């Protein structure tokens, strides 16, 4: 059995990667209100939890080490590739970085950050002019920024699942849904009939292609 150098205990990489992705998201999201900061803080916690296990301490691998060694004898538990658990569990061969799940994760991450950036530009202009954001991504769905955060987290879960981030994901979904409802109540109060008309024709999270083509 070939033993690769241990891929954990690399705390500088934990700090570096967490900082890069958090600052990247911050540059696109630019939280301004308390609600924005709650949204961004929850996303940041997810990112830190992810990279702590990816480069610092593999808690999920540790907890499942007995089962993994029984189910996959010869598996190097401390190698970086083993951390790509979906690849191991699905029996994929070769470097997991080139597997279909990893490639799909890049698509989710790329589109998520693109959507986050596009939505922020529209929202920033709308807030500056004190009008309702209804163009760009907001013409398709009412909360593209929340959808963008979910896409980014899904991308990371596809390439590096951990118990903590898998547990956090549905909690964050619920939190974003509640924030969206709260935000809509404020928009309804501020813009009245204009928001009602917009909401009647624009889905909250998932675009309706049938309605748009009708």
């Amino acid at each position: 059995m070939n033993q690769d150098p241990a891929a954990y205990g690399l705390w500088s990489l934990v700090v570096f990667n967490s900082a890069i992705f958090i600052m990247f998201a911050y540059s696109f999201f630019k939280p301004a209100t308390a609600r924005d900061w709650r949204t961004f803080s929850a996303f940041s916690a997810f990112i830190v939890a992810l990279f702590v296990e990816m480069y610092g301490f593999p808690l999920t691998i540790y907890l499942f080490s007995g089962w993994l060694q029984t189910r996959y004898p010869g598996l190097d538990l401390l190698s970086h590739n083993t951390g790509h658990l979906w690849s191991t569990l699905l029996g994929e061969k070769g470097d997991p970085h080139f597997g279909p799940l990893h490639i799909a994760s890049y698509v989710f991450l790329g589109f998520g950050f693109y959507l986050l950036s596009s939505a922020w530009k529209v929202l920033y202009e709308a807030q500056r002019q004190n009008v309702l954001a209804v163009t760009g991504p907001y013409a398709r769905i009412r909360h593209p920024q929340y959808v963008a955060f979910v896409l980014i987290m899904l991308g990371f879960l596809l390439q590096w699942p951990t118990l903590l981030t898998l547990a956090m994901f549905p909690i964050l979904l619920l939190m974003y849904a509640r924030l969206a409802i709260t935000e809509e109540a404020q928009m309804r109060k501020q813009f009245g009939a204009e928001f009602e008309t917009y909401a009647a024709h624009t889905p909250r999270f998932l675009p309706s292609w049938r309605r748009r083509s009708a």
Side-chain angles (χ1 to χ4, degrees):
M1 178 175 64
N2 295 324
Q3 293 285 341
D4 293 333
Y8 300 102
L10 308 173
W11 296 103
S12 58
L13 283 180
V14 174
V15 174
F16 178 77
N17 281 282
S18 298
I20 288 292
F21 279 96
I22 289 172
M23 287 191 294
F24 201 44
Y26 179 87
S27 69
F28 290 147
F29 187 58
K30 292 183 173 57
T33 65
R35 183 177 61 242
D36 291 344
W37 277 110
R38 284 197 297 274
T39 303
F40 186 71
S41 297
F43 173 78
S44 300
F46 179 93
I47 293 296
V48 171
L50 171 78
F51 284 115
V52 163
E53 287 216 40
M54 188 179 290
Y55 295 113
F57 180 76
L59 177 63
T60 303
I61 297 291
Y62 175 77
L63 293 176
F64 284 98
S65 58
W67 180 80
L68 286 169
Q69 285 182 326
T70 302
R71 182 70 175 80
Y72 304 96
L75 187 68
D76 182 2
L77 295 178
L78 294 181
S79 73
H80 179 81
N81 285 351
T82 300
H84 295 278
L85 277 177
W86 295 130
S87 178
T88 300
L89 298 177
L90 293 174
E92 291 182 354
K93 304 298 182 184
D95 191 333
H97 296 90
F98 300 104
L101 283 178
H102 212 282
I103 293 172
S105 79
Y106 287 138
V107 174
F108 276 90
L109 289 170
F111 186 69
F113 277 109
Y114 167 76
L115 183 60
L116 192 62
S117 173
S118 302
W120 179 81
K121 292 175 183 174
V122 174
L123 187 60
Y124 172 76
E125 284 301 321
Q127 290 176 336
R128 199 169 64 87
Q129 300 174 25
N130 196 28
V131 298
L132 190 62
V134 296
T135 60
Y138 286 90
R140 297 276 190 177
I141 52 177
R142 303 203 294 270
H143 300 281
Q145 289 187 306
Y146 296 146
V147 172
F149 279 127
V150 171
L151 289 174
I152 294 168
M153 290 187 292
L154 271 175
F156 280 125
L157 288 177
L158 282 177
Q159 63 173 269
W160 198 278
T162 73
L163 287 176
L164 185 56
T165 52
L166 286 171
M168 290 176 69
F169 185 67
I171 296 173
L172 289 170
L173 287 182
L174 181 61
M175 190 193 78
Y176 289 143
R178 294 184 62 180
L179 285 171
I181 292 171
T182 301
E183 185 176 302
E184 288 183 9
Q186 294 174 349
M187 292 299 102
R188 188 172 286 107
K189 184 177 180 181
Q190 182 176 357
F191 295 103
E194 183 184 2
F195 177 79
E196 295 292 355
T197 302
Y198 168 68
H201 295 88
T202 311
R204 181 173 283 159
F205 296 120
L206 300 176
S208 174
W209 306 104
R210 185 176 57 183
R211 178 178 298 180
R212 190 173 182 81
S213 60

